[in-house]
Amino acid sequence: GSGYRLPEYAFRVPPELSSGAQKRYSVVIVGGGLAGLSAACDLAARGIRTVLLDDDNTVGVRGLASRGITYAQKSLEIFQRLGIYDRVKAKGVEWSHGRTLADNDVVYSFDLASASISQQPPFINIQQFYIEWFLVDRIMELGLTDLRWNNKVIGVIRKKDGMRLEVETPAGNYALEADWILDASGVNSPIREGLKLPVRSERGQDRWCISDIRFKLDAPLERWTWIEAPFNENRAVWQLPMGDGVWRLDYQMDADADPDAVSSESVVRSRLRQQLGEDREFELVWVGPYAYRTQLLDSMRHGPVFFLGDAAHVMSPFGGRGGNSGIQDAENLSWKLALILNGAAPHRLLDSYDAERHPAAAHNIKTTSRT
């Protein structure tokens, strides 16, 4: 398929390499995904300078996958405060209604709009990289964040009065020190590995083929879930609209299916023909296999290091809780850290981050696993 076009950001030689002097910073954020960018933007909006290290030079992922696409009302309210909501609303698809089907029979439905009292809708579906893109633009506008692209953290050392990070760049390696580190570097966190922190991890049995397909559909803009889909050998299918006229179609596969075979172009096209009919035109934007896993750190804080998003917790995508959890981790931590740095609250306020966000992560993992 044609995929999406992602922005690319220039690598700039860090001051440590140009001057040769090691520097110390108040707050260093590792990872420029949803959680890391939300934290950088939130802290900048509160007047706090940070350094953000990202190992790539773009948003999203190189494979051009849409990744997390459903943003819940709480996250949309946060986007409003951070100044990106209008762009999210303009690009994404608002929805509040969902149906669950067995063959052609609707066995369950919901509409969350009737009970909503927020200015934002219950959900907006939009490709994850657009959220990250809008956050980068806003962070640049605020002008307090040192965004360092192609800066990959390769080592971490705990010191008496903070942390030291080893960083790899195209211009050479360097080290920096930080009073506080926000680790939002994702499921394979080099900081978590470097600190040898135990993590509880389980792999799910389910196998899925995720398909981003561009086509015109007369169906309402809702989430449809088939628990038995005749066009997928009576296995489950999820169908959700998102930005750019693209639909996300997730097809459940046999547990022992070969991931590459079920997501090959010829198999996907055949499956789509069964669902959409012979005459409908469609375009494959992105297709890939997916298996569920869960992961949870025992604690989301270790001294001066805070873990956010997938670096702290991983959950199956049912209910769109993964990305939303990371965004809400960032919000929970940012206002507290800003108060501490401004001398307006005692350091013990930061203990409440793990006390509040760890149970939320455990609850979301339990709920998504049950679903």
Side-chain angles (χ1 to χ4, degrees):
S2 62
Y4 305 99
R5 294 185 65 181
L6 301 180
E8 294 195 0
Y9 306 107
F11 167 74
R12 293 186 180 85
V13 178
E16 286 81 358
L17 282 171
S18 51
S19 71
Q22 184 173 301
K23 289 177 171 276
R24 186 179 180 95
Y25 300 93
S26 177
V27 181
V28 174
I29 300 168
V30 183
L34 284 175
L37 290 170
S38 293
C41 192
D42 210 331
L43 286 164
R46 298 174 193 280
I48 304 296
R49 293 184 177 275
T50 63
V51 175
L52 189 147
L53 309 172
D54 190 72
D55 60 6
D56 205 351
N57 73 333
T58 187
V59 291
V61 287
R62 284 289 164 192
L64 301 175
S66 52
R67 299 183 82 196
I69 66 166
T70 298
Y71 297 89
Q73 195 166 64
K74 167 74 173 169
S75 298
L76 300 175
E77 291 168 355
I78 293 169
F79 295 157
Q80 173 76 47
R81 184 171 56 75
L82 296 182
I84 67 166
Y85 174 70
D86 288 346
R87 291 184 74 184
V88 173
K89 178 182 164 84
K91 175 60 87 169
V93 173
E94 297 180 33
W95 66 280
S96 64
H97 195 265
R99 303 173 199 234
T100 302
L101 303 97
D103 200 344
N104 291 318
D105 298 325
V106 176
V107 294
Y108 173 72
S109 68
F110 64 83
D111 187 354
L112 300 180
S114 56
S116 173
I117 56 171
S118 172
Q119 292 179 347
Q120 284 68 41
F123 300 103
I124 288 182
N125 283 2
I126 183 173
Q127 293 86 330
Q128 178 174 329
F129 63 81
Y130 280 125
I131 302 285
E132 296 174 4
W133 189 339
F134 301 159
L135 282 167
V136 171
D137 286 351
R138 180 67 178 138
I139 286 166
M140 289 176 169
E141 215 172 73
L142 290 166
L144 291 176
T145 311
D146 180 358
L147 285 169
R148 300 189 184 182
W149 306 102
N150 288 127
N151 278 242
K152 180 181 183 180
V153 172
I154 55 170
V156 59
I157 299 167
R158 178 84 188 260
K159 304 190 64 147
K160 279 184 184 174
D161 60 342
M163 303 294 295
R164 174 186 162 101
L165 294 177
E166 308 281 341
V167 186
E168 180 183 274
T169 83
N173 294 8
Y174 70 95
L176 55 73
E177 292 190 356
D179 298 337
W180 304 100
I181 290 177
L182 277 52
D183 180 6
S185 59
V187 62
N188 298 311
S189 159
I191 295 174
R192 201 183 59 224
E193 300 292 321
L195 295 175
K196 297 185 168 51
L197 299 177
V199 65
R200 297 162 195 256
S201 187
E202 287 181 28
R203 218 165 251 292
Q205 296 301 308
D206 277 4
R207 295 290 179 271
W208 294 75
C209 176
I210 295 179
S211 311
D212 289 359
I213 313 295
R214 185 178 281 113
F215 60 88
K216 287 191 168 58
L217 188 66
D218 299 329
L221 298 175
E222 301 174 348
R223 189 195 78 187
W224 286 18
T225 306
W226 283 267
I227 50 176
E228 294 176 0
F231 48 84
N232 190 35
E233 298 177 14
N234 282 334
R235 292 187 294 260
V237 174
W238 294 67
Q239 174 179 292
L240 298 100
M242 52 182 165
D244 299 332
V246 178
W247 290 76
R248 160 74 66 80
L249 299 170
D250 293 0
Y251 296 96
Q252 187 182 30
M253 299 291 112
D254 285 331
D256 57 356
D258 173 9
D260 293 328
V262 298
S263 58
S264 68
E265 185 168 331
S266 60
V267 171
V268 171
R269 286 186 178 278
S270 169
R271 200 183 293 134
L272 281 163
R273 282 280 162 245
Q274 288 184 59
Q275 179 175 354
L276 303 177
E278 292 298 323
D279 302 329
R280 190 181 302 277
E281 291 183 18
F282 61 80
E283 176 192 353
L284 302 185
V285 179
W286 183 85
V287 174
Y290 191 82
Y292 295 159
R293 64 188 288 190
T294 64
Q295 193 165 288
L296 182 60
L297 267 176
D298 287 344
S299 174
M300 289 171 60
R301 178 187 180 185
H302 289 266
V305 182
F306 297 88
F307 294 89
L308 296 78
D310 286 358
H313 47 71
V314 178
M315 55 201 75
S316 84
F318 285 129
R321 291 174 184 243
N324 287 289
S325 291
I327 292 161
Q328 291 165 37
D329 291 344
E331 186 200 38
N332 184 288
L333 181 58
S334 294
W335 68 266
K336 296 169 183 175
L337 196 52
L339 285 178
I340 303 299
L341 294 173
N342 288 325
H347 276 62
R348 68 175 182 272
L349 175 62
L350 294 172
D351 295 338
S352 66
Y353 171 68
D354 178 70
E356 291 167 358
R357 294 309 298 165
H358 192 278
H363 171 78
N364 282 329
I365 286 172
K366 180 180 176 184
T367 301
T368 52
S369 297
R370 281 181 61 212
T371 310

